[in-house]
Each structure stands twice: as structure tokens, then as C-alpha cells.
Amino acid sequence: MQIAQNSVAAFHYTLTDDEGQVIDSSEGREPLTYLHGSGHIVPGLEKQMEGRAVGDKFTADVAPEEGYGVRHDELMQEVPRAAFQGVEDIQPGMQFQGNGPEGQINVTVTKVENDVVFIDANHPLAGKTLHFAIEVTDVRGATAEELEHGHVHGAGGHHH
């Protein structure tokens, strides 16, 4: 069976950046399982998974536009240290959740100068080309319940 709309696929992956540094990997864990066509993996990878079958091994390069998006300068801001009440030692790399105009947002501290904290609400992988090494381990048809719920159930998926 080939990966197609409304199939459930499982795969092992290693994700690296342009310098070959490993960003994430399923090594030592269960394969990632998803409902194809439901938007649970980045669009560029989902497109390259289409038509693949169990045992396929391939590399997939995903441009920022089809990965985590391009970087947006307007998502980088300076906020007063007082906005971080209860946090004594704010350091670059720390991540916080906040409320934005469209709901909850995640921000990363990029710099701290005196009473000003520089934050970035871009996804940490925004603007980066993603390099995946993929091995497809399973492909099956989705159940009616999985299609209704929009995600995989059981092994590697959601448990109700």
C-alpha cells in the first residue's frame, strides 16, 4: 500500500540543519505515526511522503515556506523585564508562553539588556531548510473513527 490521502503512515526520521547538525530524531523511539492529508506534519514533508511504501528510505529537503515558515521581523520585540514577574534570572534561550492577539504564543528570549528583554515569537525552525532522512515503516488505511477525529488512534497515535 502507498501513502495517500486518509492513510495512516509511520516512519523513522532524522532531521538535520544545513550544517548537518541533528535537530530531532526518532532514533531509539517509536516511529512517528500520522494521518496523511490532515496537516500533522510540515506540508513539504507530507508532499514528499505521498506515494511512498513500507521500506522506502529517502531524503527530503523542505524549504522554509513549506516547513515552519519564513522568519518575520515583526515577531521580534523588546519588552520590559517587569513583564516577566516571578522570574529572577532571565537568560537567552529561555522560552515562555504569552497571550497574543490570536491566542497563546510561544516566545524565546534572544537577549537581555538591563531592564529590556528581547523576545522572538517566530518558530525556532522558521527560516531554516529542513533536511529529513526518512524510513517508512508502516502504511495502512485509516479507520472511520480516525477520519472522523482527524488523527491516528492506537499505537503511535491518540488514546481516548
Side-chain angles (χ1 to χ4, degrees):
M1 178 175 195
Q2 292 183 321
I3 298 172
Q5 182 73 26
N6 297 331
S7 63
V8 172
F11 64 96
H12 278 292
Y13 68 94
T14 298
L15 170 61
T16 57
D17 62 17
D18 285 336
E19 289 76 42
Q21 296 294 313
V22 175
I23 297 169
D24 193 15
S25 175
S26 64
E27 187 175 331
R29 301 187 315 223
E30 292 295 314
L32 179 65
T33 303
Y34 76 103
L35 178 60
H36 192 78
S38 63
H40 290 278
I41 61 175
V42 295
L45 180 57
E46 191 165 57
K47 286 179 186 174
Q48 294 183 55
M49 295 290 287
E50 185 88 23
R52 305 290 182 161
V54 172
D56 284 358
K57 293 182 181 182
F58 64 99
T59 58
D61 295 327
V62 177
E65 295 80 6
E66 291 195 302
Y68 290 97
V70 296
R71 293 190 58 74
H72 296 283
D73 290 340
E74 65 271 16
L75 294 178
M76 299 175 69
Q77 298 179 1
E78 300 174 22
V79 296
R81 183 186 289 268
F84 295 87
Q85 292 177 355
V87 182
E88 293 296 318
D89 187 27
I90 302 170
Q91 296 291 323
M94 293 176 88
Q95 296 184 325
F96 295 92
Q97 280 191 336
N99 292 315
E102 298 177 21
Q104 263 193 346
I105 57 167
N106 295 315
V107 299
T108 302
V109 175
T110 59
K111 183 168 63 168
V112 180
E113 286 182 358
N114 302 317
D115 288 332
V116 178
V117 179
F118 296 77
I119 60 170
D120 184 352
N122 284 289
H123 187 282
L125 296 177
K128 296 184 186 283
T129 298
L130 309 173
H131 305 280
F132 291 93
I134 302 290
E135 179 182 359
V136 179
T137 60
D138 190 39
V139 181
R140 64 172 173 79
T143 66
E145 185 179 46
E146 288 170 327
L147 293 173
E148 181 182 332
H149 290 192
H151 58 251
V152 177
H153 292 174
H158 189 80
H159 301 278
H160 289 281

